[in-house]
Amino acid sequence: MNASDRTPADLLRSALAADPARPLVTYYDDATGERVELSVATFANWVAKTANLLQDGLAAEPGERVALLLPAHWQTAVWLLACASAGVVADLGGDPALADHVVAGPDRLEEGLACTGGRLALSLAPLGRRFPAPPAGYDDYAVEVPSQGDRFAPYVPVAADAPALAVPEAAGGRAELAELTGAELVERARSDARRRGLAPGSRLLSGLAWDSWEGVSAGLYAPLAAGGSVVLCRHLDRLAPEALAARIESERVTHRAEAD
């Protein structure tokens, strides 16, 4: 990857320039049987549309906070990069009452109503399907995002030393909260990639929850920083050992990150 990359958005741009057709995120939900594979180009297109929705649809301004009440999921990965692209702080699992905007999955809609700003709901259903009707108090992301532009340019350049991500340092609570700038996030991701032995072309299978830096790093940032890709698995504990072995072989997995 490009050593001059200073923000998560820089990492994605470098990945796009290097090989837009290669897989970046392959997502499995072992509760539903869903599998989605996104190339770098497809992922970047989702990020651009979502960043435009943030900037123009929600009128989110640089430095504002977006509470992401979402699990480990390919659409959560899109939102993390979209927030970084627009210069807003992605607060993963954050308090919606303290956020300027909230993005909530189907299990956390009531909690998200505490946010007095813009609210978007994600069904997290296979193929990114819409809700049958928008949940009360929310706009449906799947309805709003398709009409957004395929290219994104922030109205204000995003500085590498601007806040980018808030996430618990460790699972189980937010007492130890990491508040990272874009540059700090990239440096941590590179360090994690080196620790895991990731390199261009690596395929990291992660079954970790995104309730800590370790989980979201393994599930997105470290593979992106290394020029690799992630096989992101939700509900991996429901997969039989022989099925896991088959997935590792079929997905050409080179590294694994799983809960103890």
Side-chain angles (χ1 to χ4, degrees):
M1 299 299 286
N2 192 332
S4 65
D5 291 340
R6 297 290 310 283
T7 69
D10 289 342
L11 294 177
L12 183 58
R13 279 191 289 270
S14 289
L16 192 61
D19 186 357
R22 71 173 175 87
L24 181 60
V25 177
T26 304
Y27 172 75
Y28 283 89
D29 187 332
D30 288 303
T32 65
E34 178 184 8
R35 180 187 183 276
V36 174
E37 183 166 280
L38 291 88
S39 67
V40 178
T42 300
F43 184 83
N45 182 254
W46 274 96
V47 169
K49 284 180 173 291
T50 303
N52 279 313
L53 178 58
L54 259 173
Q55 183 169 261
D56 297 328
L58 292 182
E61 298 184 358
E64 289 189 339
R65 207 170 190 90
V66 178
L68 299 180
L69 306 185
L70 300 169
H73 193 279
W74 70 267
Q75 289 188 321
T76 311
V78 166
W79 270 97
L80 288 168
L81 267 295
C83 287
S85 299
V88 303
V89 182
D91 191 351
L92 195 55
D95 185 347
L98 302 178
D100 299 288
H101 311 277
V102 67
V103 181
D107 297 334
R108 303 187 70 177
L109 295 172
E110 185 172 353
E111 180 183 350
L113 291 174
C115 178
T116 58
R119 304 189 199 105
L120 286 169
L122 275 67
S123 74
L124 302 181
L127 304 178
R129 289 199 305 266
R130 303 177 178 186
F131 289 93
Y138 287 85
D139 290 323
D140 187 340
Y141 170 70
V143 173
E144 302 297 327
V145 77
S147 62
Q148 300 296 321
D150 293 330
R151 296 182 180 275
F152 175 75
Y155 294 144
V156 179
V158 178
D161 60 356
L165 177 70
V167 64
E169 285 281 13
R174 293 178 65 84
E176 295 289 335
L177 191 67
E179 297 255 5
L180 304 175
T181 66
E184 290 169 340
L185 190 161
V186 168
E187 184 51 42
R188 275 202 181 197
R190 285 177 171 152
S191 177
D192 286 356
R194 289 191 294 270
R195 174 173 57 84
R196 292 185 179 278
L198 302 180
S202 293
R203 293 274 284 168
L204 173 61
L205 183 146
S206 177
L208 299 179
W210 282 11
D211 55 0
S212 68
W213 166 256
E214 181 183 9
V216 75
S217 174
L220 175 63
Y221 293 120
L224 178 61
S229 57
V230 63
V231 181
L232 181 63
C233 302
R234 189 179 180 206
H235 301 125
L236 187 61
D237 58 342
R238 304 189 187 189
L239 194 65
E242 59 273 17
L244 175 58
R247 178 174 301 170
I248 288 169
E249 181 178 1
S250 67
E251 295 291 355
R252 304 178 305 283
V253 169
T254 60
H255 299 73
R256 292 170 61 178
E258 297 176 50
D260 295 333

